[in-house]
Amino acid sequence: MSDKASRIPESKYVQQHLANERTFLAWVRTGIAMAGIGFLAAGFGFNSSAYDRIAHLAAIITGITSLLGGISIILFSAAAYHRKRSQINEQTFQATTGLITFISLMLLVIGLALAVLLYVLLFPA
């Protein structure tokens, strides 16, 4: 631990640290949910009688993207938690938009892949 961090008692910023922890846990739940979407999509594809090549491709894309996205969100949120913890103690906090942008793009890709998967499953050619 650095000298600067050891001089500033964390109890001085209890509310900010608790809010930071709640935010981290919310991101972890989001990451787990995103990974679960991939397993759900794969289950739809494999259990379908109208399963074809496009549905298989959409299920693969959704599953891999969801799993990697969920893991990435958990890793990025852990890094953001530790960075914000230091910034709170040093009173230099600045909000970042990187994680928000990343999750928005991941959800867009997953949403499009799910839309293709559901379309193929509901309206087989």
Side-chain angles (χ1 to χ4, degrees):
M1 189 179 333
S2 69
D3 290 338
K4 190 173 186 179
S6 63
R7 288 187 301 221
I8 300 172
E10 288 192 4
S11 62
K12 184 176 179 182
Y13 307 109
V14 171
Q15 294 298 323
Q16 290 86 353
H17 285 295
L18 292 173
N20 187 28
E21 187 172 332
R22 285 189 301 270
T23 302
F24 169 68
L25 293 174
W27 281 117
V28 168
R29 285 190 304 271
T30 302
I32 291 169
M34 184 176 279
I37 288 171
F39 288 106
L40 178 67
F44 277 139
F46 289 118
N47 292 329
S48 172
S49 60
Y51 195 74
D52 66 355
R53 191 169 184 223
I54 296 172
H56 181 67
L57 183 61
I60 289 173
I61 290 171
T62 304
I64 291 172
T65 305
S66 295
L67 185 60
L68 293 177
I71 291 169
S72 298
I73 287 171
I74 292 170
L75 292 174
F76 290 150
S77 65
Y81 168 81
H82 290 291
R83 185 179 59 252
K84 289 175 188 173
R85 182 175 174 263
S86 297
Q87 290 175 345
I88 289 168
N89 285 335
E90 296 167 3
Q91 294 184 333
T92 59
F93 178 78
Q94 290 188 354
T96 59
T97 59
L99 190 57
I100 303 296
T101 303
F102 173 74
I103 194 169
S104 298
L105 292 173
M106 293 299 294
L107 288 173
L108 177 65
V109 169
I110 292 167
L112 291 172
L114 278 173
V116 169
L117 176 64
L118 291 176
Y119 179 80
V120 170
L121 293 175
L122 293 175
F123 306 105

